[in-house]
Amino acid sequence: MLLLAQQARRASGEERLRLASDFNGLLADVVAEGAGRAEADAFHRLLEGGNLEGLVDADGRTCRAATVESLLALGFPYALEVRPEDLDHLKATPVLGTQLSPPRGGPFPALAVGLGALAAQVLLTVTGLVEPGGLLILQGLLSLLSLTLLTVATVGSPLYRGALALLTVVSGVGLWMLLVPDVPAGWVAGLGGLVAAFLAALRKS
């Protein structure tokens, strides 16, 4: 592992990426074969000696993050030996295939987008650019109810999921009404509602 890391650091361009990818693959093989104290010590030497500085594989994964993951994969007691700075590096490194990060600010980003879209829809109606109608009013009320529930309900609860589904459906219908002749279209509230639903779906408990 050390030899491969040194070769990667001396290389450049595509060769460096290839060697870094080979290094990360070797780590996975070592762990899969059942590693122990000797392998954990080797991981520590790689992390502490700066041998992995600047090494990133073809998928954008740093060799340092892969080494930390390998050390954690060894379980107790080796996982407890990971340095805080190495854990911080791992947390800051994006992992392919993971979910999008939840937006900061709790429920307020979704609430702000949803209420902003509703306010814009009301403004369009007041100025006469969109004719008022019963369906338009119902869309606004249901959207407001959904946003309120998404703000107060526990993330992941049945109430939260129900409110999320209701906001998505109501917003989708608002956009679909653009295709229906002589029916007031709440497309602004619909578009904002879908964005708000997306932000709400990204939240984690």
Side-chain angles (χ1 to χ4, degrees):
M1 291 185 294
L2 178 59
L3 177 60
L4 192 54
Q6 291 174 343
Q7 290 176 344
R9 292 197 64 187
R10 289 194 296 265
S12 60
E14 294 295 329
E15 180 68 9
R16 185 185 181 98
L17 291 175
R18 184 186 67 79
L19 290 171
S21 298
D22 291 344
F23 176 85
N24 287 348
L26 178 59
L27 290 176
D29 292 340
V30 169
V31 174
E33 291 174 1
R37 180 75 268 168
E39 289 76 14
D41 290 341
F43 294 156
H44 283 300
R45 286 194 295 271
L46 287 167
L47 291 170
E48 296 170 358
N51 298 292
L52 307 179
E53 190 69 28
L55 295 183
V56 182
D57 66 14
D59 293 325
R61 189 71 170 158
T62 68
C63 292
R64 181 182 178 186
T67 305
V68 176
E69 282 189 332
S70 299
L71 191 54
L72 292 172
L74 299 183
F76 181 86
Y78 313 113
L80 301 178
E81 301 170 356
V82 178
R83 298 180 303 175
E85 57 267 33
D86 290 326
L87 280 177
D88 291 339
H89 175 81
L90 177 61
K91 293 176 182 179
T93 303
V95 182
L96 295 178
T98 56
Q99 295 180 339
L100 294 174
S101 298
R104 296 181 179 180
F108 298 108
L111 183 63
V113 171
L115 291 180
L118 287 175
Q121 190 68 62
V122 171
L123 182 61
L124 289 176
T125 304
V126 171
T127 56
L129 296 177
V130 176
E131 295 182 3
L135 288 178
L136 192 60
I137 296 174
L138 180 62
Q139 177 192 358
L141 292 176
L142 290 177
S143 297
L144 185 59
L145 174 63
S146 302
L147 290 169
T148 302
L149 293 177
L150 288 173
T151 302
V152 301
T154 303
V155 178
S157 65
L159 181 61
Y160 191 90
R161 292 195 295 268
L164 185 60
L166 177 61
L167 180 60
T168 302
V169 171
V170 170
S171 301
V173 171
L175 289 176
W176 173 79
M177 285 195 300
L178 280 171
L179 305 177
V180 182
D182 302 324
V183 175
W187 65 271
V188 176
L191 182 60
L194 289 178
V195 175
F198 176 73
L199 293 174
L202 288 180
R203 288 185 61 202
K204 296 180 180 180
S205 59

